[in-house]
Amino acid sequence: MHLAYPAVLSALLFCTGLYGVLARRNAILVLMSVELMLNAVNLNLVAFDVWLSKAAEESLHSGQALTLFTIAVAAAEIGIGLAIVLAVHRNRGTSDIDRLRDTAEGREPDGPDTDTLATGAAGEKAEATA
């Protein structure tokens, strides 16, 4: 098998992941796109390892060992990233990256103020029970 086939597939996967990181608004989809990019790198590592081991007639397989290390690091990164996204979603109610960035920079979101909605609903509830 030629080296071009896995290299082209890896490039397509990486470009798809890069587009997903740049174009998506949801934090979970961005994490999935990063995982896709890491898998493209892993495919490249294994393909070049097989190609170089055939050329040099060695059985070192350092590319495959590095791929296993990359998979372990990617699993930990996705686990921690997903935990952070879920914690932010519980606190803020959204996983939209633009809204999270706006609130982190101190600007008010474009939507209605949540404090006035909460006090207004509580006031209406108190009037309804009285």
Side-chain angles (χ1 to χ4, degrees):
M1 183 161 87
H2 296 285
L3 182 62
Y5 298 134
V8 168
L9 178 63
S10 176
L12 289 174
L13 284 174
F14 191 85
C15 290
T16 304
L18 185 65
Y19 174 74
V21 167
L22 295 177
R24 298 292 179 189
R25 301 283 186 239
N26 192 350
I28 295 174
L29 292 177
V30 170
L31 286 174
M32 289 174 59
S33 298
V34 168
E35 186 70 26
L36 191 64
M37 291 168 61
L38 287 172
N39 286 333
V41 170
N42 288 339
L43 179 64
N44 243 353
L45 282 171
V46 171
F48 276 97
D49 179 53
V50 169
W51 183 66
L52 289 174
S53 67
K54 284 182 182 177
E57 296 182 8
E58 295 178 4
S59 61
L60 186 60
H61 299 298
S62 59
Q64 293 178 12
L66 187 60
T67 298
L68 288 175
F69 179 73
T70 306
I71 289 171
V73 169
E77 176 242 342
I78 292 297
I80 292 172
L82 187 59
I84 291 171
V85 167
L86 288 176
V88 167
H89 187 280
R90 283 184 186 165
N91 288 337
R92 305 266 173 104
T94 184
S95 61
D96 187 13
I97 294 176
D98 290 335
R99 288 186 183 205
L100 296 177
R101 186 180 308 132
D102 289 344
T103 58
E105 292 174 355
R107 293 187 298 201
E108 291 295 323
D110 294 334
D113 189 18
T114 57
D115 292 333
T116 58
L117 288 176
T119 56
E124 290 173 8
K125 190 179 212 182
E127 287 177 8
T129 58

